[in-house]
Amino acid sequence: MSKITIKTKEDIEKLRIGGRRLARVVDAVGARIQPGMSALELDTFAEEMIRSFGDTPSFLGYAQTKKDPGYPGTLCISVNDGVVHGAPSADIIFKEGDIVKIDCGLIHEGLFVDHARTFAVGDIDPADRELMRVTEEALRVGIEQARAGNTTGDIGYAIESYVKNRYGNVRTLAGHGVGYAVHEPPFVPNYGKKGKGEPLVPGMVIAIEPMLTRGTDDVMIADDGYTYITTDGSHAAHFEHTLLITENGPAEIFTVLEDE
Ligand code: MG
Ligand code: MG
């Protein structure tokens, strides 16, 4: 998909339902994580939960090129220095002190939503706890700017200004348009200039997803061929919501639990 799309009223209602379901999935996945469990077990649980709704995991089989065999999981599971895009496997066993990034997408009646949270396994380093808190707050700060009349640059500028030099801010990966596909334009970077980038228009649906680290801004692909890890081994956190640019006022966040 090469153009920015505006979602219809009917599509927005489907995104609302899909978003709430996805929030339930990620919440339930997070509640299950415990030492000794494998990433594959968690992935199977998430896939079954999504299918029990009659929906479809959107990452599973996702291919970016024709040669790409397709992504092997329902979840992206990235542990500690893993930032995003970690593929689930039976070899990844969670242990006390890990921080685990769970990223998931689903398709509800043809509409795509995307959501990520970072979870602690038991007692974690207080510095990791603080990293998680600041990353979630960076997402909130970005969402605050996601208003008609603003630009993607306003979102990035707000996130970057909030983070300052306290943490590494991964710049080579970004948020994105979503709704009719896993990824749509525009890019929604976690840095930027006020008033620059793409104008935000009512009916646009975007995913905002800051990725912060306790060290470098830089990431590389790990030996597994999937996970983006920090180049200095520092721990990373990631939070993401799918949201709608509304006519007036704040964005409507789709990926929240019913009673939030
Ligand atoms: Mg995601
Ligand atoms: Mg995303």
Side-chain angles (χ1 to χ4, degrees):
M1 211 162 286
S2 58
K3 279 176 69 177
I4 292 174
T5 62
I6 300 299
K7 275 66 184 181
T8 65
K9 267 206 174 98
E10 293 71 27
D11 293 337
I12 289 166
E13 190 43 46
K14 289 174 184 170
L15 287 161
R16 255 178 213 130
I17 294 167
R20 285 198 292 261
R21 288 179 176 180
L22 181 56
R24 278 173 63 188
V25 171
V26 172
D27 196 62
V29 164
R32 287 179 83 85
I33 301 176
Q34 53 179 307
M37 177 182 264
S38 81
L40 189 63
E41 279 175 75
L42 215 52
D43 194 70
T44 303
F45 168 79
E47 180 176 357
E48 285 172 359
M49 187 169 173
I50 290 171
R51 296 204 191 279
S52 76
F53 295 137
D55 295 332
T56 309
S58 60
F59 298 171
L60 188 62
Y62 178 69
Q64 284 174 305
T65 61
K66 279 194 179 144
K67 278 190 185 164
D68 187 342
Y71 184 73
T74 289
L75 302 172
C76 292
I77 302 177
S78 312
V79 182
N80 296 337
D81 63 336
V83 185
V84 288
H85 296 180
S89 91
D91 300 336
I92 302 169
I93 307 289
F94 305 122
K95 58 184 194 310
E96 181 90 13
D98 283 345
I99 59 169
V100 180
K101 283 120 278 179
I102 299 293
D103 194 346
C104 189
L106 69 73
I107 311 167
H108 170 66
E109 296 186 11
L111 276 297
F112 292 67
V113 283
D114 194 353
H115 179 41
R117 284 171 61 188
T118 304
F119 296 98
V121 185
D123 275 335
I124 60 167
D125 185 335
D128 281 344
R129 178 73 64 190
E130 180 62 7
L131 168 74
M132 288 164 61
R133 187 191 68 77
V134 171
T135 310
E136 192 167 14
E137 182 62 12
L139 173 57
R140 196 196 63 74
V141 163
I143 291 172
E144 180 59 30
Q145 295 301 315
R147 293 167 184 258
N150 281 3
T151 65
T152 52
D154 291 322
I155 295 172
Y157 176 81
I159 291 172
E160 188 180 37
S161 307
Y162 170 71
V163 175
K164 291 206 183 82
N165 298 320
R166 293 182 289 169
Y167 289 102
N169 182 2
V170 176
R171 291 154 178 274
T172 49
L173 301 166
H176 50 90
V178 65
Y180 296 148
V182 173
H183 294 118
E184 292 176 37
F187 282 114
V188 185
N190 297 305
Y191 63 95
K193 291 200 168 78
K194 272 186 183 175
K196 300 287 183 188
E198 209 60 53
L200 301 172
V201 175
M204 271 173 75
V205 173
I206 57 173
I208 302 179
E209 49 181 316
M211 290 153 265
L212 303 186
T213 86
R214 285 173 54 193
T216 181
D217 295 353
D218 298 325
V219 291
M220 60 185 183
I221 304 261
D223 291 340
D224 65 9
Y226 286 103
T227 318
Y228 280 94
I229 55 172
T230 57
T231 55
D232 62 359
S234 60
H235 287 186
H238 176 218
F239 286 85
E240 175 180 30
H241 276 306
T242 296
L243 50 93
L244 171 73
I245 307 300
T246 61
E247 295 280 346
N248 299 297
E252 176 181 342
I253 304 172
F254 290 134
T255 42
V256 286
L257 296 169
E258 208 117 6
D259 52 4
E260 280 184 272

